[in-house]
Amino acid sequence: MQTWEAIRSRRNVRSFEDRPIADDHLDEILESGRRAPSSQNWQPWDFILVREREQLLQLAHVWRGAGHVAHAAAAIALIAAAPADDRQRDRVQYDLGQATMSIMLAAASLGIGSGHAGVADQDMARGLLGFPEDRFCAYLISLGYPADRPLTLIRHPDRRPFGEVVHRDRW
């Protein structure tokens, strides 16, 4: 799948087939996150790949909207240093957003669905994932082959009209 096709096919997937993702595909997805742009090449992230079913089942409880993690083939936890101030908090969130989108587009290009979730219970996440005390788990990205329908071009996305969103030169 080409980049534009992946962009037009990507959607949040929260229901997955019960089949594994090949290691080389997971590595490609992780590499896309590693290569994501970041402010001043800061690269504030670490990624934890989770494939163990019991661990995925438990991770699904770190936030009320993370239930899809339980049935994913894998999940990626995005870990970052606790920000020192508001400016650093904004930078890290922006950079993690770029890594998240890179990961999700790489997955879509391979026909792999993805869904994201926040993490409210940092203590539970830390206990399950073992990241250091000076770090936090910002997001979980569940990965798997879509159970309901494969990723295909979304011809009529549920988005505001192009002409309403795009302004040229001025508002």
Side-chain angles (χ1 to χ4, degrees):
M1 188 180 299
Q2 296 298 319
T3 304
W4 184 231
E5 188 178 353
I7 290 168
R8 292 174 56 211
S9 300
R10 203 214 71 76
R11 60 183 166 80
N12 283 340
V13 175
R14 293 184 182 90
S15 178
F16 303 101
E17 289 183 359
D18 184 21
R19 69 173 167 136
I21 300 170
D23 289 343
D24 61 327
H25 285 178
L26 289 169
D27 287 348
E28 187 174 325
I29 292 166
L30 288 159
E31 178 66 5
S32 72
R34 188 182 76 87
R35 289 178 176 242
S38 70
S39 173
Q40 299 175 326
N41 202 26
W42 182 28
Q43 304 171 55
W45 48 67
D46 284 278
F47 309 125
I48 300 174
L49 176 65
V50 179
R51 293 188 289 184
E52 295 292 326
R53 178 61 49 213
E54 185 56 37
Q55 199 173 4
L56 291 166
L57 287 166
Q58 292 178 33
L59 275 174
H61 297 284
V62 298
W63 187 64
R64 61 185 167 85
H68 52 93
V69 173
H71 304 289
I76 299 171
L78 281 74
I79 310 296
D85 55 35
D86 288 347
R87 183 171 185 267
Q88 196 175 69
R89 183 203 64 222
D90 293 346
R91 284 177 65 207
V92 75
Q93 290 300 328
Y94 188 85
D95 288 355
L96 289 171
Q98 293 193 98
T100 297
M101 198 66 216
S102 290
I103 287 168
M104 295 175 113
L105 284 175
S109 75
L110 297 167
I112 297 167
S114 61
H116 60 284
V119 178
D121 192 335
Q122 290 293 318
D123 292 334
M124 178 185 280
R126 184 172 286 106
L128 292 166
L129 300 170
F131 55 88
E133 286 291 325
D134 66 341
R135 308 264 170 178
F136 73 104
C137 183
Y139 307 109
L140 296 173
I141 302 172
S142 57
L143 300 167
Y145 295 97
D148 53 353
R149 62 193 188 332
L151 297 179
T152 58
L153 290 179
I154 301 168
R155 299 201 185 282
H156 303 287
D158 184 15
R159 295 289 183 262
R160 291 172 39 210
F162 185 85
E164 184 180 309
V165 174
V166 176
H167 307 272
R168 301 185 191 265
D169 297 323
R170 295 177 54 101
W171 188 275

